[in-house]
Amino acid sequence: MSSITARPESRTASDPAWWLDLLVTVDHKKIGLMYLVTSFVFFALGGVAALLIRIQLSRPDMEFLVGQFYNQILTMHGSTMQFLFIIPIAAAFGNYFVPLMIGARDMALPRMNAFAYWLYLFGGLLIYAAPLFGGMAEGGWVAYFPFSSSEYQPSAGLDTWILGLQLVGFASIFGGMNIIATAVNLRAPGMGWRQVPMFVWAMIATSFLQVLATPGVTAATMLTYLDRTIDISLFNPAIGGDPVLYQHLFWFYSHPAVYIMVLPWFGIVSEILPVFSRKPIFGYTALAGATLGIALVSFLVWAHHIFTSMGSPLLNSVFAFTTMLVAVPTGVKIFNWIATVWRGRIIFNTAMLMTLCFIFLFTIAGITGVALAIVPFTWQMHDSYWVVAHFHNVLIGGSVFIIFAGVFYWFPKMTGRMLDEKLGKWLTGLWFVGFMVTYFPHYILGILGMPRRIYTYQDGIGWGVWNAISTVGSFMLAAGFLLFVYNVIISLRKPKNAGNNPWDAYTLEWATSSPPPAYNFATDFPTTYKSERPLYDWKKMNLWPPDESQKMSLEDIHLPQSSYWPLLTAVGLMVMLAGMVLQGAMTWLGLAITLVSAIAWSFEPAFESEEVELEVQHHNRTRINNGMLSTYWFLGSEIALFLMMFSAYFYLLFTGRMTMPAEMPNVTLAIINTTFLLGSSVTVHIAHHDLLHEKRKTFIGLLAATIVLGLCFLGFTALEWQELLATGDPTENLYLAAFFSITGLHGLHVIIGLTMLLVALVRGALGHFTPKLNNGMEVPTAYWHLVDGVWIFVLLFVYIVPTFYQGPNQVFEAVDPFSVYEREMPAEDGAMPAGTAMPEDSSDTMPAEPAEPQEELRSIEDRTRSLNERLRRLREGQ
Amino acid sequence: MKRLLTLLSALVLSVSSSVWAQEAMPFLNAPSVLGGASPNAREVEGLFWWVIGLSVIVLIVVVAFLGAAIVRGIRERNISEEPPQIHGNVVLEVTWTVIPLLILAFLLVLTVNSIYRLSGYAAPEEALEVNVYGQQFWWEFQYPESGVITANELVVPVGQPVKLNLRSRDVMHSFWLPQFAGKTDLVPGNHRVQWFTPDEEGLFYGQCAELCGDSHANMRLRIVALAPEEYAQWEQAANMPAEVSSEQLVQQGSQLFISKGCVNCHAVQGVNTYNRVGPDLSHIGSRTSIGAGILANNHDNMVRWLRYTNVVKPGVRMPNLGLSQEEAEAITTYLSELTLPNVDMAAMIGEDALEDIDFQQAQVLGGNE
């Protein structure tokens, strides 16, 4: 399919059906709407789960939802709300409005945009299909180890959850890199960084977090998956692994994740307050700076989620400091928002009312968060209802209130109709009161000692009344949401007469019709931007509304064409992951569909002609074309992923947990392998250079040589692995587990890189590339350089470092530098002290014979060690 | 204003109706982190009041200015001219960055100081050591000095610090006695330490605070803080086997205890002290609760526990042995005689404490006769 010239809005008989159109569209507005609707559906599902939980907890000793099923419902509630509702709904608004607000026609990578949506949908579907695969995840959305090991969750439910989450995670990464490339490259001429709307700043900061932090949860969950499927584990204490390592990796993402869940809404607050106070945002620079500051510091606070499990006063103190630090830019925002409203001509519609409620509720949330930075207080409140109150306060009193506000603000733009204001005020009242009735009791419950994730509590302990009140509130919230849905439905029936700018707002999305045409704008905007309020400034400068000379002819507008490859590639990935859960042939079918679709996608030109493509790819604010700009960010996420793996490796090495196997990997072989890889980087670099200088034959030849060198690397790796596996067992030795995890991950990237280079070779031979247009070669080249660059570090860290440093002296007291307690060291005979061995199987031991006669035992340690040995013998005997 | 009133009336209504409907004074029994029973908990409480106090000041400032802006906005809503288009103010920005930083710096000093004072690392030399082992879904307590091994009810002397060595035998758990100290997670493969000094006698409540499986909600614990002389009595008695009578039902129970296989998991001094898959039952008759704190220790509850274990506690490791009513009655009678020799726990704990916390658990989760 090639691109189309823009055309007037009327539909003709030959237009595809609306649902077929949605399957193949790359229009950012339609994709935004799909994200919006899908997110709200998941919100409803997560909300039903919440109501079930609240019913169960409303009175003591209820039997409505207990035990394993309760744990599964709470896991689905948390996972749905966070991964399938709040993060994607930000993508909904971001996709719809970032291009409009910067005066662009679409996102930088339209097909990638569609792909991200399908990954999200299919990831969510896969997670929800878990019961079909035999179970559901039950360890909470955090899935801590060892409860997440196959020992304690044998069903495939958690595997489905993990793999579904990978799709959703990639959606997040791809969406993020697209937003960054769009904001950087596609801003209208004249719109400098100081005139970019606050919402765009918010989405940029959010996208940084999505791209660079998501690899944390990828590493944590995929390592869990490895443990569950092939027993290679960095977390298994029996071989020296550490469950706290899982927590570090998980929270390294999940803390920035909560800012992903909140920053976009901060941006929308900064859009709504000025419009409905009729004055500019107070402190634009401070707010933009604070947004970036929050994003940066959010990478430094993750361990405040594990104050109770690290066991290190030093780490606790450091993270207390950084956690308090992140409160400062957040406070700056609140004060700037109040200053915006100060002396404003306030319009009290639903969007504004919900935003004002937000300021109040979010301040309380921030306060309770600062309380949690007080480490000893968190020692009391961690995993209690205080924390539950705090994060719901931030996410509902914060994010969801602004989600509603954003819908009320932008509904006219997206649909051409206004939402009913009376129903909107009912929604505000029900949610403002309902929120407080539901969640303020939770603060009290935390203080009264109620832990979280419990399905019941006893009568008479004093928690009943607060739980009952809370449940009443939750039904108020449910009623409000139903009212909201009703409002949307009846408002959609009204005629489309909202007009371009019903709020007399200031940013560029209001400079076109409601809803916008497919091509967004047909106006040549002025190129003077004085502030983040272009429409306000242009009116004052008499540059707005535009006159006839500024209107563009539709023939000059080119739009990217629809494509079914993003959908099919996503389908292939879903089928492949489902196949992995089933551990069957479906995996290969899925892989095949994915490969065919992805390759077809790369063969498909984005635009109808080279001129158009050149125009689109290069007519941008930096000299970097859209494809490469996005790719650089993607490579950033890859670097982050390997950083996670190396951090895990060094954590285990420096804390003395790693024992070296009898046979270490062959460093000489590794160095030979390195020359293959480095050589291949040289060849691919020259190949690309030759392409740019139209030396076709050498380009093809060197590209082929690159692939051959890469294959040599893989071949030697296979030999090396074979040798190591003959003498060592990665399921028994922590160094080998880390070695195979890291080199395996790297090897996977080599295979992906070689596949991309092979496709480039074929396309190059077919003449698809020209010196000016060769994304299909540029991208694999950059990827290949990354793969080779990472290898240098693999060589250094995993092969060379252990030749001279193998951990702190383990003969006596191995002291963890981050903790002051000695860790559990094996005794001389190799037996682990009592309580540290992971049981080998899950069968309950009910020995048939009666107890052995008692021995004379000297000490508790002896007795427990003896017990351990006996248990092991009993289990082996079964 | 109207919204505030609606909110207040909603709150008042719900609290009062619930109070009327249910418990008389909901606070007294709850294991609150305020008003703690150890200087450790009270130190944390002090930090809490500091941060809440300072935060309330900030909240009042925020609400005041926000409220004033809203009120002025309501009053001036019919004025059509544009308000002053103010873009920012550097002095304000600096002020409201620096002041919070100063407040937080102050809180940080308090925090770091308390971290080091309250960490397990700082456990006093003279602390009584207890090795705590958490597993799905119960707690084992071993006293290395005296050799006592017990489960689910931790007995400690008042006035002496107690140092808990926390280890997990399976998944992550978390040991939380809200009235004594913050919680500490039990991480398999790691050894964590928690300490506190109980300075109030009585029976207190605790619970596992890290999701650990189907019955995480049922992995509860109790702590009994005794006067030092009483503790010494307890410690001595805890190392002596219980004396059971030769009554026929008791003897029948004791034989069933062996023939049904209970002895293969549960240690009872004088019978078997080797098998420790499940909690030590040497003095189960003297404990206030069974099933890891989920049921009051009375005859009916014990019978139901024995007969419907996995219904009372989903996911429990103890198998359902298919006991008949008579068998369960016999074993229960036997178990009720396994008490601490010459020690009256109920008297030592005190009637009031027992009444406060010994919730009416006659009803068992699920399971019918």
Side-chain angles (χ1 to χ4, degrees), chain A residues 132-148:
Chain A
L132 297 176
F133 291 92
M136 287 163 73
E138 43 189 91
W141 75 283
V142 295
Y144 283 163
F145 195 87
F147 187 40
S148 59

Side-chain angles (χ1 to χ4, degrees), chain B residues 93-275:
Chain B
E93 298 288 356
V94 172
T95 311
W96 62 45
T97 308
V98 169
I99 293 184
L101 267 171
L102 292 174
I103 296 177
L104 290 170
F106 168 68
L107 289 172
L108 182 65
V109 169
L110 293 183
T111 302
V112 175
N113 180 45
S114 284
I115 289 174
Y116 278 91
R117 282 164 52 85
L118 300 175
S119 282
Y121 151 80
E125 282 292 308
E126 68 276 17
L128 170 71
E129 278 208 42
V130 181
N131 294 331
V132 178
Y133 295 95
Q135 53 262 296
Q136 287 174 325
F137 300 98
W138 61 283
W139 307 91
E140 180 168 276
F141 302 120
Q142 299 182 3
Y143 297 69
E145 210 184 292
S146 57
V148 173
I149 301 181
T150 180
N152 298 324
E153 287 189 7
L154 178 66
V155 181
V156 291
V158 159
Q160 183 185 5
V162 58
K163 174 182 169 191
L164 304 169
N165 297 309
L166 302 164
R167 293 182 176 88
S168 164
R169 289 196 173 127
D170 45 30
V171 297
M172 283 183 64
H173 298 276
S174 191
F175 187 86
W176 192 23
L177 289 165
Q179 290 156 295
F180 289 94
K183 66 184 62 68
T184 308
D185 290 359
L186 281 68
V187 184
N190 287 285
H191 158 216
R192 298 277 185 258
V193 176
Q194 184 181 7
W195 79 275
F196 54 86
T197 309
D199 61 10
E200 203 179 300
E201 284 175 50
L203 175 66
F204 305 88
Y205 174 89
Q207 192 157 355
C208 173
E210 184 61 67
L211 179 61
C212 53
D214 298 0
S215 266
H216 165 60
N218 299 320
M219 187 168 164
R220 306 175 193 169
L221 69 139
R222 299 188 180 184
I223 178 171
V224 179
L226 298 173
E229 327 76 60
E230 290 176 335
Y231 173 77
Q233 271 185 283
W234 171 86
E235 197 186 60
Q236 198 185 40
N239 263 327
M240 289 158 48
E243 288 150 18
V244 299
S245 68
S246 46
E247 204 196 297
Q248 203 238 347
L249 199 57
V250 172
Q251 287 305 312
Q252 194 187 344
S254 116
Q255 273 152 26
L256 284 168
F257 186 80
I258 296 173
S259 67
K260 285 290 173 182
C262 314
V263 73
N264 291 320
C265 289
H266 291 283
V268 173
Q269 287 178 49
V271 177
N272 144 66
T273 53
Y274 215 80
N275 303 328

Side-chain angles (χ1 to χ4, degrees), chain A residues 336 379-380 383 458 657 835, chain B residues 85 93 168 183 190 209 220:
Chain A
N336 274 292
W379 286 342
Q380 285 280 33
D383 268 347
Q458 59 245 65
R657 290 178 153 86
Chain B
Q85 303 284 293
E93 298 288 356
S168 164
K183 66 184 62 68
N190 287 285
R220 306 175 193 169

Side-chain angles (χ1 to χ4, degrees), chain A residues 80-389:
Chain A
T80 303
M81 289 305 202
Q82 295 186 93
F83 297 128
L84 304 178
F85 165 59
I86 290 206
I87 294 181
I89 204 170
F93 288 108
N95 272 315
Y96 202 107
F97 288 103
V98 166
L100 284 168
M101 285 174 132
I102 60 175
R105 299 207 183 289
D106 206 312
M107 298 281 281
L109 300 179
R111 288 177 298 178
M112 184 62 89
N113 200 13
F115 183 50
Y117 169 75
W118 295 115
L119 284 177
Y120 154 53
L121 177 66
F122 293 144
L125 289 177
L126 196 54
I127 293 174
Y128 269 77
L132 297 176
F133 291 92
M136 287 163 73
E138 43 189 91
W141 75 283
V142 295
Y144 283 163
F145 195 87
F147 187 40
S148 59
S149 71
S150 46
E151 163 89 33
Y152 300 100
Q153 288 191 54
S155 84
L158 186 61
D159 298 301
T160 319
W161 184 90
I162 290 175
L163 293 177
L165 203 59
Q166 303 312 310
L167 292 181
V168 180
F170 274 105
S172 192
I173 294 176
F174 293 145
M177 65 195 221
N178 214 349
I179 297 244
I180 296 174
T182 305
V184 170
N185 261 354
L186 304 189
R187 278 169 295 139
M191 183 188 278
W193 285 111
R194 283 174 192 265
Q195 293 87 41
V196 158
M198 284 303 309
F199 177 62
V200 177
W201 273 116
M203 288 310 299
I204 291 172
T206 306
S207 302
F208 285 153
L209 296 179
Q210 287 177 288
V211 170
L212 297 175
T214 307
V217 70
T218 310
T221 48
M222 287 313 290
L223 285 169
T224 303
Y225 183 74
L226 280 185
D227 173 277
R228 290 173 62 82
T229 47
I230 55 177
D231 264 332
I232 292 188
S233 177
L234 302 187
F235 311 133
N236 183 354
I239 60 171
D242 192 1
V244 176
L245 175 60
Y246 172 89
Q247 292 183 306
H248 279 292
L249 291 171
F250 177 83
W251 285 110
F252 184 81
Y253 162 70
S254 298
H255 187 83
V258 312
Y259 286 96
I260 294 172
M261 295 177 213
V262 120
L263 285 175
W265 319 109
F266 287 171
I268 294 182
V269 169
S270 298
E271 295 297 332
I272 287 180
L273 288 178
V275 170
F276 299 120
S277 313
R278 310 312 298 163
K279 48 194 288 272
I281 190 77
F282 190 97
Y284 172 89
T285 313
L287 279 170
T291 306
L292 292 173
I294 292 174
L296 180 65
V297 180
S298 76
F299 275 106
L300 305 177
V301 305
W302 79 89
H304 68 221
H305 298 271
I306 49 178
F307 277 151
T308 56
S309 66
M310 289 192 291
S312 164
L314 174 64
L315 284 181
N316 280 346
S317 304
V318 167
F319 283 97
F321 165 64
T322 55
T323 304
M324 289 184 188
L325 209 58
V326 81
V328 175
T330 316
V332 162
K333 281 181 166 287
I334 304 249
F335 302 132
N336 274 292
W337 288 326
I338 295 177
T340 304
V341 184
W342 187 255
R343 298 183 83 191
R345 198 73 62 237
I346 301 180
I347 297 160
F348 290 97
N349 56 25
T350 305
M352 187 59 164
L353 286 171
M354 296 218 82
T355 309
L356 293 170
C357 291
F358 157 88
I359 296 180
F360 172 66
L361 293 175
F362 189 80
T363 306
I364 297 178
I367 284 169
T368 60
V370 170
L372 288 169
I374 313 286
V375 175
F377 182 63
T378 298
W379 286 342
Q380 285 280 33
M381 293 293 98
H382 172 70
D383 268 347
S384 78
Y385 263 79
W386 176 280
V387 172
V388 175

Side-chain angles (χ1 to χ4, degrees), chain A residues 412 415-418 494-500 502 514:
Chain A
T415 65
R417 295 113 168 157
M418 312 288 286
K494 297 189 231 175
K496 278 190 207 182
N497 54 13
N500 286 14
S514 301

